[in-house]
Structures are given as structure tokens and as C-alpha cells.
Amino acid sequence: MEQAFLRIGWYTQGTDCLGPDSRFAIWVQGCRKRCKGCIAQSLQSFDGGQAISVAELAEEILKSGTDGLTISGGEPFLQADAIAILLEKVKSARHELGVIIYSGMKYEELLEDSSAQKVLDYTDLLIDGEYIQELDDNRAMRGSSNQRMIFLSSRYTAEDMPEKRKNKLIFYDDKFRMIGIPTEETKRAMSLLRKQRED
């Protein structure tokens, strides 16, 4: 069987910024949406990031000992086949691992795609819909109010979700990355940092 690969921007482990408990978070590479105000523009290109074997990534997730897995991007469902294989591997080893996925596509669209359905079979919470800058209401777990939290299993409920947005800036060399969904304060800080880097 041919080895599956997933193109990702990066990943981190042990974060509490993208759902309840300690989480392994993956940001996949590539998105066609180009939403106004997107905070992850570096993840839009399909040529960026790195290709990592699904087997290697699954091993990293299982080794991490985290309680959950969050997949964002980029657009995860553009690599649905590889993500389905990844989720099958980690869930077969740890069925209790809670899976949260962010998508710019709507749930109804995903149901029409057989590859996407395989991913949804392993997903506990889907947060769907494009980011609309004008509808950013600073609420937890979503970028804008049009996005829905769709609970696909009994693993999580709305009460399990954080009440406020959590985020963290990670600095390395002359760059930074953000984990979580930014508050207005974080957006201002990121804008200032980008301006300073350009000057």
C-alpha cells in the first residue's frame, strides 16, 4: 500500500487554545477561500509547508499523550483522504481521543463528498463556515458568528467548550506564530509585530 502524506504548515502539542483539555494541533497547508482578514494567510498556498507521512504524524500524536486533536488550516477537507487515514490510525489506538476540525466549508457541502464523510466519521466536533471579518464577535472557539459548532458525537457538549477565546503567540527567529483564535487585543499586537518586521 502506498504511503500517505499530509501537507501541513506546522503542528504543536499540549495546547489548551483550540478546545478543551490538552490538545495536539495541526495546521494543514492550502486553502482556496481567501477570506478577508484571514489570520493564516501563510497557510493559503498549496506549495508551502512540508509533506509529512501520515504514519509519522500519527506516531507523534499518540506519543504526545494529549487528550484531544484539533485540525485547522488551511482547509483540512482538501486533504480529506490523508486526514481520514490519520484519524483512523489514532482513533483505533486511542478511541477516546477527542477530534475537533475547523473547515471553511459548510457541513452540508461536506456530506456530499465521500472522502469528507470518512473524516466526519471520526470527528467529534466540526466548526464550519467561512470566516467573515464583519461578523467577528470575539466569542470562543469561532472566528465569526456565522460559523457553527456541530457536535457529531457525544464526546463533547457546548458546556465543555471554553467560555473565552484563548490564544498564544510563539516567537522563533524573526517570526511568530499564533495558536488559537485571536482576540481584538491579539490582532492589534500581531498587526504591530508585522509592521515592525516590515520596517
Side-chain angles (χ1 to χ4, degrees):
M1 182 176 167
E2 189 176 340
Q3 189 174 15
F5 285 86
L6 185 64
R7 181 160 287 276
I8 67 169
W10 62 298
Y11 66 80
T12 191
Q13 50 188 296
T15 183
D16 65 350
C17 294
L18 286 164
D21 309 315
S22 171
R23 312 193 68 79
F24 194 105
I26 302 168
W27 287 263
V28 302
Q29 188 74 34
C31 182
R32 299 190 185 105
K33 293 288 185 182
R34 305 297 191 269
C35 298
K36 176 185 169 187
C38 174
I39 59 157
Q41 292 182 23
S42 64
L43 297 172
Q44 292 176 355
S45 167
F46 290 90
D47 299 322
Q50 62 172 320
I52 185 170
S53 84
V54 166
E56 180 184 336
L57 193 52
E59 186 178 346
E60 287 293 317
I61 294 166
L62 294 172
K63 260 190 342 188
S64 73
T66 50
D67 303 300
L69 169 64
T70 298
I71 303 176
S72 186
E75 173 51 61
F77 286 92
L78 293 178
Q79 299 185 68
D81 289 331
I83 289 176
I85 295 169
L86 174 70
L87 295 180
E88 181 182 18
K89 286 179 180 295
V90 297
K91 290 286 268 188
S92 63
R94 289 189 55 205
H95 68 277
E96 78 283 1
L97 192 79
V99 175
I100 298 174
I101 299 185
Y102 284 83
S103 175
M105 301 172 72
K106 289 186 177 179
Y107 178 53
E108 292 78 9
E109 292 176 73
L110 297 173
L111 289 176
E112 296 175 2
D113 182 90
S114 59
S115 294
Q117 284 185 41
K118 290 176 186 174
V119 174
L120 294 174
D121 286 343
Y122 295 105
T123 303
D124 299 296
L125 170 59
L126 172 72
I127 299 168
D128 80 338
E130 296 181 17
Y131 172 67
I132 300 176
Q133 191 172 37
E134 294 77 13
L135 297 180
D136 190 336
D137 57 4
N138 211 39
R139 294 185 64 183
M141 294 297 293
R142 302 169 309 156
S144 52
S145 61
N146 62 297
Q147 295 173 326
R148 300 174 294 179
M149 291 199 296
I150 301 172
F151 296 92
L152 300 176
S153 78
S154 59
R155 176 68 174 81
Y156 297 122
T157 67
E159 287 70 36
D160 295 318
M161 298 300 117
E163 294 181 3
K164 296 181 179 179
R165 287 186 180 180
K166 291 183 179 181
N167 53 75
K168 182 185 296 184
L169 292 174
I170 306 290
F171 294 86
Y172 60 103
D173 299 328
D174 62 339
K175 300 178 183 177
F176 67 89
R177 287 177 171 149
M178 195 213 63
I179 302 172
I181 301 174
T183 59
E184 289 304 316
E185 183 181 5
T186 306
K187 286 181 199 169
R188 285 193 294 271
M190 290 170 66
S191 178
L192 182 62
L193 286 166
R194 286 194 184 104
K195 188 174 185 306
Q196 288 174 346
R197 195 174 61 184
E198 290 166 2
D199 291 344

